[in-house]
Amino acid sequence: MTQPPPTTSPTRPGISVPDLLVALALTALGIALLLGSFQIPFGINAVVGPRVFPLIISVGLTALGLLLTISVLRGGRAEPAAEEDTDMEAPVNLAAPGIILGGFLLGAAVLTTAGFVIGTAIMYFSVAWAFGERRIGLMAGVALAVALVTYEAFTRGLGLNLPPGFLKGII
Amino acid sequence: MDSLTSLMSGFETALTPLNLLWALIGVTLGTLVGVLPGIGPALTVALLLPVTAKLPPVSAFIMFAGIYYGGMFGGSTTSILLNTPGESASIITALEGNKMARKGRAAAALATAAIGSFIAGTIGTLLLTFAAPAIADIAVQITPSAKFALIMLAFVTISATFGGSPLRGLLSLFLGLGIGLVGTDLQSGQARFAMGRPELLDGIDFITVVIGLFAIGETLYVASRLRKGKFNVIKLEGGAVMSKEDWRRSWGPWLRGTALGFPFGAIPAGGAEIPTFLSYTLEKRLSKHPEEFGNGAIEGVAGPEAANNASAAGVLVPLLTLGLPTSATAAILLAAFQQYGLQPGPLLFITNGDLVWGLIASLYIGNVMLLALNLPLAPVWARLLLIPRPFLYAGILVFSTVGVYSLNNSVFDLGLLALFGVIGYGMRRFDFPVTPAIIGVVLGPTAEAQFRTALQQSNGDFSIFVRQPFTAFLMLCALAALVVPQILKFRAARRAA
């Protein structure tokens, strides 16, 4: 998904492969929903069963997905959104979101065993790293502090149940 | 005057010390998240929903209302001092206000934005006070088929009529509708699209969808294209103040912006973007020195900011009287009502008058608080813009995790959160608006319920949607909202060719 800077015209000839994949994925999702709709029983004693609305939506999604596919095949492509902290001229760095996602899933996977504090500290650390921070000691300290304060505030202050993990009894 | 007596009793509710405290917490939080990039009022209310479950509904909604209005005030600070609009409705403020700030007039730009927001918010709330009960009186008689048609109209205007690409808006809407289908069908008890997962039988919580699409999606997307180097935040010394000359030039735009913004918010027309643009164009045309526009004209900040805030008040009219959200934040508020077992709509004014009027009264109070918070404290809020981004976004992610995990104490939900985060990234990368998806998730189940009730009443006769005059009229409006802009675009393109 290396994308040229958005200064180029959207009507430039040539088919954008990422755009095409997105359009096809949406169409496929529509078809999957359609097949899933047929799995829903008609329902008894109902004029309109639980199947009708899903059918309408899946047909609509499939049709819209096909329309998008056609528009992409004719050279249409999407302009990436501009956000507060983004630089649209900068080269796209896909490693950073990958690190965030990996850190998040790792933190979620160990959340119940290692506990909330460790799990969310891993998430915090990976986001800070992905955003270019490299002072490891500072990051680890802030990550643990934020996780611990959040844990204490939510469990003691608001009475929520968060998993303590192996720190049980200590925090 | 019925509205006045109700409003007075609303003030009695809102002016208790505890509720005043909740209002203060709300407006402070709202300003905070409005200033901070990466997090906005919609996301904040969604994050707070699980933890406010134990509050009395009135207090929770007073706080949410504060967040809703506060987010608007805070957003303008970011636009003016950082030149990066957080939402499309602030584009104009960023354009004109940042030019003013660069000329050393940051204080005046912030002041006209805050005072304009206050005036527009107060007038908007006044209009809401008197319009809402009147509309609710009429809305009681709306049939299920008309209600369905009304939702169709909202779907079309929000996703297709005013967006950049109607096709992408509609795809986003249908994605949201599809997500809303997952889970057990309440009328028949049948599981739909649960894929055999017991976690999905209860449906996908909209909070997970909202936080995934907004917070996680935004974090992933910003990380992929992070702005490098130092932030160009304009320094601000002292509070936000303006001169006599500024006042003279601002009051007209404030009032005209309010007049434009409120109706656009009140009809289901999808957001504050259009009235801010209209207000800007109008002020430029009326100005004696149009050459200043684009170089920091105070009218170009005053008008659009007022329009933005007035439309925020207008959005509450269809939300409270019809249960029809027309912006992402309104959709979250609707879901919040449903979480408390309340259904916004005409009956809410009768069954939960205390709550509704307490909420409306708190809007007046919140506006005053926001003015007091934003004028002298502007430099404090400005300093928030200097928070290092690695720590800011990491914190947003951790709070998102707590919010979603505490819904069901389930790691499965965190997996869903990651999935919606990736979808949210894709939506930003491929230019799909997020709001239609949120509206689809929240309003989809209501749309289906009205659709089925209407058909049950007509014994399965689909002509019910065209036979009743009012329903047919709304359906026609929805069709026109879908087709007319396309025809206009097509004709404009042909003329240009």
Side-chain angles (χ1 to χ4, degrees):
Chain A
M1 291 213 286
T2 42
Q3 194 65 17
T7 41
T8 46
S9 153
T11 49
R12 184 162 39 95
I15 296 163
S16 156
V17 177
D19 280 275
L20 187 62
L21 288 178
V22 168
L24 289 175
L26 282 165
T27 315
L29 181 68
I31 294 170
L33 278 183
L34 191 61
L35 296 177
S37 303
F38 285 117
Q39 309 270 313
I40 303 168
F42 272 106
I44 26 166
N45 290 334
V47 184
V48 198
R51 203 191 241 202
V52 180
F53 209 67
L55 277 177
I56 297 173
I57 288 170
S58 47
V59 168
L61 186 58
T62 314
L64 290 167
L66 284 173
L67 280 177
L68 185 65
T69 312
I70 293 169
S71 118
V72 171
L73 287 175
R74 290 159 99 191
R77 61 180 65 214
E79 293 293 315
E83 305 277 342
E84 278 170 323
D85 282 331
T86 56
D87 178 359
M88 302 319 289
E89 311 291 312
V92 178
N93 167 15
L94 283 179
I99 291 168
I100 296 173
L101 204 59
F104 180 81
L105 292 175
L106 178 67
V110 302
L111 199 75
T112 41
T113 47
F116 177 86
V117 174
I118 305 290
T120 47
I122 293 173
M123 296 177 186
Y124 193 99
F125 190 91
S126 57
V127 178
W129 179 276
F131 272 79
E133 182 60 62
R134 287 295 178 270
R135 288 168 288 178
I136 290 176
L138 177 72
M139 282 154 72
V142 174
L144 282 170
V146 168
L148 195 64
V149 169
T150 312
Y151 179 85
E152 293 293 331
F154 279 78
T155 50
R156 278 168 212 242
L158 294 162
L160 293 180
N161 251 330
L162 298 174
F166 59 70
L167 293 172
K168 189 172 180 167
I170 305 170
I171 50 174
Chain B
M1 290 294 270
D2 247 8
S3 295
L4 275 183
T5 9
S6 311
L7 185 64
M8 283 308 132
S9 71
F11 270 108
E12 271 172 43
T13 315
L15 282 172
T16 59
L18 204 59
N19 282 339
L20 277 176
L21 182 68
W22 286 118
L24 185 64
I25 293 175
V27 293
T28 312
L29 261 178
T31 313
L32 182 83
V33 301
V35 173
L36 288 178
I39 182 166
L43 181 60
T44 310
V45 175
L47 275 173
L48 285 173
L49 265 184
V51 298
T52 49
K54 286 175 191 158
L55 281 183
V58 181
S59 307
F61 278 103
I62 284 176
M63 180 169 73
F64 294 157
I67 294 172
Y68 179 58
Y69 271 18
M72 304 284 155
F73 276 75
S76 54
T77 306
T78 313
S79 315
I80 290 167
L81 296 180
L82 200 63
N83 188 27
T84 46
E87 39 168 14
S88 49
S90 313
I91 291 174
I92 302 284
T93 315
L95 188 82
E96 212 62 41
N98 192 254
K99 288 267 164 55
M100 279 182 77
R102 275 178 205 293
K103 286 181 172 170
R105 307 238 304 129
L110 287 170
T112 197
I115 300 170
S117 296
F118 167 76
I119 289 175
T122 305
I123 297 177
T125 311
L126 260 172
L127 292 171
L128 169 74
T129 307
F130 293 103
I135 293 173
D137 277 349
I138 305 167
V140 180
Q141 297 152 23
I142 288 183
T143 59
S145 63
K147 181 87 200 275
F148 176 73
L150 205 55
I151 295 175
M152 287 296 110
L153 179 60
F155 279 166
V156 172
T157 50
I158 289 161
S159 54
T161 310
F162 297 107
S165 157
L167 179 57
R168 289 171 195 279
L170 284 173
L171 271 163
S172 170
L173 172 74
F174 272 77
L175 184 70
L177 290 171
I179 296 167
L181 286 175
V182 176
T184 309
D185 170 43
L186 288 180
Q187 284 191 27
S188 66
Q190 295 290 346
R192 299 193 293 193
F193 307 112
M195 291 178 281
R197 298 290 312 209
E199 295 94 337
L200 289 178
L201 284 178
D202 276 344
I204 297 174
D205 203 303
F206 80 94
I207 295 179
T208 315
V209 182
V210 171
I211 296 178
L213 292 183
F214 278 119
I216 313 293
E218 175 97 350
T219 305
L220 294 173
Y221 185 73
V222 172
S224 74
R225 295 159 187 269
L226 185 64
R227 184 190 303 271
K228 295 279 171 11
K230 275 222 168 287
F231 295 105
N232 198 359
V233 180
I234 289 155
K235 285 231 174 64
L236 184 69
E237 321 240 326
V241 284
M242 48 191 221
S243 66
K244 252 205 187 112
E245 168 74 3
D246 293 332
W247 276 93
R248 199 184 54 71
R249 289 177 60 176
S250 289
W251 69 267
W254 288 337
L255 296 181
R256 285 188 290 269
T258 308
L260 280 172
F262 187 81
F264 259 92
I267 57 168
E273 194 181 328
I274 311 285
T276 57
F277 278 94
L278 285 178
S279 164
Y280 185 76
T281 322
L282 178 70
E283 294 313 327
K284 193 171 173 180
R285 205 163 285 169
L286 291 176
S287 170
K288 281 185 205 114
H289 21 75
E291 72 285 351
E292 272 187 36
F293 280 74
N295 297 310
I298 194 165
E299 294 92 340
V301 181
E305 269 305 299
N308 189 4
N309 257 59
S311 105
V315 162
L316 294 175
V317 175
L319 176 69
L320 291 176
T321 58
L322 302 167
L324 207 61
T326 52
S327 72
T329 317
I332 317 290
L333 287 175
L334 173 70
F337 275 109
Q338 289 168 345
Q339 183 136 320
Y340 279 101
L342 305 165
Q343 185 57 50
L347 291 175
L348 193 70
F349 280 84
I350 301 161
T351 55
N352 291 83
D354 284 358
L355 176 95
V356 181
W357 288 106
L359 176 69
I360 293 177
S362 81
L363 294 174
Y364 290 97
I365 300 166
N367 257 310
V368 178
M369 285 180 174
L370 279 166
L371 193 64
L373 271 179
N374 276 273
L375 286 182
L377 294 181
V380 180
W381 300 118
R383 296 196 64 171
L384 283 175
L385 291 172
L386 298 171
I387 292 182
R389 296 305 184 255
F391 297 96
L392 173 67
Y393 282 93
I396 292 173
L397 188 98
V398 166
F399 284 120
S400 305
T401 309
V402 187
V404 170
Y405 183 79
S406 59
L407 289 173
N408 302 312
N409 280 354
S410 144
V411 175
F412 180 83
D413 283 354
L414 293 183
L416 281 180
L417 180 66
L419 174 70
F420 288 119
V422 173
I423 294 175
Y425 170 87
M427 290 177 89
R428 284 169 177 78
R429 164 61 186 82
F430 293 100
D431 196 23
F432 292 96
V434 176
T435 303
I438 305 287
I439 301 269
V441 173
V442 173
L443 214 49
T446 316
E448 181 180 11
Q450 301 291 348
F451 176 75
R452 284 160 80 170
T453 314
L455 282 177
Q456 244 133 35
Q457 285 175 356
S458 73
N459 271 321
D461 180 4
F462 275 84
S463 73
I464 184 153
F465 294 115
V466 289
R467 232 176 30 226
Q468 288 180 346
F470 187 54
T471 311
F473 169 73
L474 288 172
M475 283 297 204
L476 213 61
C477 288
L479 193 69
L482 190 62
V483 177
V484 171
Q486 303 315 308
I487 297 175
L488 292 180
K489 238 182 248 175
F490 180 72
R491 283 180 50 180
R494 220 176 41 179
R495 208 169 303 150

